Amino acid sequence: MNMPLRKSDPQVAKIIKNEEIRQQETINLIASENIAGDSVLEAAGSLLTNKYAEGYPSVRYYGGCEYIDKIEELAISRAKRLFKADYVNVQPHSGTQANMAIYFAVLSPGDRILGMDLAHGGHLTHGATINFSGTLYRSSYYGVEKETGLINFADLEKLAKRIRPKLIICGASSYPRKIDFLEFRRIADSIGAYLLADIAHIAGLIVAGLHPTPVGIAQFVTTTTHKTLRGPRGGIIIAEKNFGKFIDKMVFPGIQGGPLMHIIAAKAVAFGEALKPEFKRYQSQIIKNSKKLSEELKKRDFRPVTGGTDNHLILIDLTNKNISGSRAEKILEKVGIVVNKNLIPFDQKDPTTTSGIRLGTPTVTSRGMKEAEMAQIAAWIEEAINNRRNKKIILKIRKEIKKFCYEFPIYKKR
Ligand code: DSN
């Protein structure tokens, strides 16, 4: 058992190696992904995975938690500093579980919730009928305006007053503009609802001060740790301190068993990295790259929903290009540009076809790409889409991209 993976299990080792090559040789524009640093990977791959630690620091159900306690305490204190928060729970295994813990803490089955429509940029856990949040609770949705692609707060307020939900959820997974948390809180207060801000996509921008924070505005804030935050795959909860005890109980023993201590260690490392000045520069470059990519695509007659972006992502409406999101995703993958098909607001196509693609810049920025590279990527996107039936051109672009990718290694030589 104590052998390098390539010796003990060459089959698995080979698949991991192939994935490493895929990541290295492609341009990843998936808005929710990133490249965790070596230190985050080291902590995530550490022997802390061996330890059971049900409970919380100093109140565990297992012996031998001396160092485990220190790791969790460190992760909590760094997260508190990072988000300027009084209460943080670092145990949720994912963003979904972070949201679930909040719902279970403040709602009863059958209560009304109001979240952003999945088809307009919301998230499964914000009340979609195919998710627990839409089956356990009576969910309603707000969306964006057809003309602008922006959240219309007057309509939202009318809807909230009619529905009278117990919880309003704000935050999105394909909304390219800033979210006005104060306005959400004002509306929530006007009907006595709680407000949950799910900042999974924009947490990195928020801690860098490049997007307004909901901490101190929403009673509950959840995020994943692996998107713009560039940590390990996982979730955390931030809340007003008075809800802390209740949320802790809901995470464990309510919906989870033993915390993933190796992941909590990796979260601590990521929070430490995010507290450094370089992280702010990184986040600022993400936005510069996103704006540049959006402008360059616009020049080429691609249409970003809302006309552009304020954050790390761009949602492209492909209707005028006469190609579906799923077909565009496939063509781009052939040349080595990885994106995801995405519904656009008021989409006429179904979710497996879609009229749009979502592009994001966290990963390419982590690799050191800047504005000049964004212009080049936009040119490749146009060339690939326009020449989608020309195998020779597709192959030529693939070769150019492969070469280009080696100028931006994902990791130093391993
Ligand atoms: N699935 C994530 C995304 O891609 O946005 C959200 O959880």
Side-chain angles (χ1 to χ4, degrees):
M1 126 195 172
N2 293 319
M3 272 195 264
L5 188 63
R6 65 178 189 282
K7 292 225 164 97
S8 68
D9 195 334
Q11 211 181 348
V12 169
K14 177 119 199 332
I15 295 171
I16 295 175
K17 187 68 196 170
N18 285 343
E19 171 60 11
E20 184 184 330
I21 294 168
R22 187 197 67 80
Q23 289 188 22
Q24 175 55 50
E25 294 185 349
T26 55
I27 296 168
N28 179 11
L29 295 176
I30 297 205
S32 49
E33 293 182 3
N34 210 328
I35 303 173
D38 281 308
S39 320
V40 167
L41 291 192
E42 192 177 332
S46 71
L47 52 66
L48 297 192
T49 194
N50 297 339
K51 191 72 198 94
Y52 250 118
E54 284 177 3
Y56 288 96
S58 73
V59 279
R60 303 283 188 188
Y61 289 86
Y62 292 83
C65 287
E66 183 185 352
Y67 299 110
I68 288 301
D69 279 1
K70 287 198 174 20
I71 276 292
E72 188 164 346
E73 279 161 1
L74 191 59
I76 291 170
S77 72
R78 285 184 181 174
K80 282 182 176 171
R81 256 170 61 212
L82 190 60
F83 286 95
K84 300 184 176 55
D86 296 330
Y87 163 85
V88 177
N89 186 309
V90 295
Q91 291 194 6
H93 300 330
S94 69
T96 293
Q97 273 159 311
N99 286 345
M100 184 184 265
I102 300 301
Y103 295 168
F104 283 14
V106 300
L107 301 171
S108 304
D111 278 350
R112 291 182 191 279
I113 61 173
L114 177 60
M116 190 163 185
D117 192 340
L118 187 59
H120 286 215
H123 187 254
L124 276 174
T125 57
H126 297 180
T129 46
I130 46 171
N131 181 261
F132 81 91
S133 56
T135 49
L136 269 187
Y137 309 107
R138 282 186 287 174
S139 52
S140 303
Y141 317 104
Y142 59 88
V144 296
E145 266 180 354
K146 197 162 189 179
E147 305 71 43
T148 61
L150 302 173
I151 295 168
N152 179 322
F153 281 98
D155 287 350
L156 171 59
E157 186 165 12
K158 268 190 233 146
L159 185 63
K161 290 205 157 123
R162 186 158 57 79
I163 305 288
R164 301 201 79 80
K166 195 163 173 193
L167 178 74
I168 296 180
I169 305 121
C170 59
S173 54
S174 57
Y175 189 65
R177 296 298 180 178
K178 289 204 167 91
I179 295 174
D180 188 342
F181 297 117
L182 276 169
E183 195 55 9
F184 270 103
R185 177 67 197 248
R186 187 188 65 71
I187 293 170
D189 280 349
S190 76
I191 53 163
Y194 291 120
L195 180 64
L196 162 62
D198 178 344
I199 58 167
H201 265 264
I202 52 173
L205 307 178
I206 287 175
V207 298
L210 300 169
H211 187 292
T213 180
V215 177
I217 296 172
Q219 288 95 346
F220 311 105
V221 178
T222 54
T223 181
T224 50
T225 46
H226 50 273
K227 297 189 175 89
T228 46
L229 216 41
R230 206 165 57 183
R233 199 157 284 280
I236 63 169
I237 296 170
I238 298 156
E240 284 177 4
K241 205 173 180 164
N242 50 318
F243 294 103
K245 265 195 187 147
F246 208 45
I247 293 171
D248 280 350
K249 269 196 195 153
M250 205 40 81
V251 173
F252 172 82
I255 60 167
Q256 289 188 177
L260 308 177
M261 293 313 305
H262 53 307
I263 298 301
I264 290 176
K267 287 174 184 170
V269 173
F271 300 150
E273 288 177 359
L275 282 161
K276 292 188 181 144
E278 303 91 91
F279 193 74
K280 186 165 178 166
R281 287 196 286 278
Y282 163 57
Q283 297 294 324
S284 148
Q285 190 63 48
I286 289 179
I287 297 181
K288 283 186 203 159
N289 284 353
S290 185
K291 283 184 185 291
K292 178 70 177 174
L293 184 57
S294 169
E295 281 160 21
E296 290 291 329
L297 286 168
K298 262 172 101 167
K299 276 191 210 162
R300 294 165 168 87
D301 200 28
F302 284 92
R303 298 193 182 151
V305 173
T306 78
T309 179
D310 291 332
N311 60 23
H312 63 300
L313 71 82
I314 306 150
L315 184 60
I316 299 285
D317 176 353
L318 291 166
T319 313
N320 65 321
K321 294 282 181 182
N322 209 16
I323 184 171
S324 69
S326 59
R327 178 97 176 101
E329 181 190 298
K330 285 200 183 84
I331 299 296
L332 292 175
E333 188 157 8
K334 275 195 189 151
V335 299
I337 296 176
V338 185
V339 306
N340 64 277
K341 58 179 171 287
N342 213 99
L343 288 172
I344 54 167
F346 307 96
D347 209 321
Q348 299 298 307
K349 295 194 162 68
D350 66 78
T352 55
T353 312
T354 82
S355 301
I357 47 173
R358 186 185 64 165
L359 315 176
T361 54
T363 303
V364 288
T365 311
S366 285
R367 292 177 80 164
M369 296 181 200
K370 297 214 163 92
E371 286 92 328
E373 285 76 36
M374 297 306 114
Q376 175 61 74
I377 292 171
W380 275 322
I381 292 176
E382 182 189 36
E383 198 181 358
I385 301 271
N386 287 354
N387 296 284
R388 51 189 178 270
R389 287 179 199 92
N390 187 329
K391 278 190 185 151
K392 244 177 149 175
I393 294 183
I394 295 294
L395 206 67
K396 174 202 78 97
I397 305 172
R398 177 67 197 114
K399 277 191 189 148
E400 287 170 2
I401 287 181
K402 200 162 163 178
K403 185 162 171 276
F404 166 89
C405 282
Y406 278 98
E407 291 167 34
F408 300 93
I410 53 169
Y411 291 105
K412 284 197 207 99
K413 225 150 186 67
R414 283 152 179 258

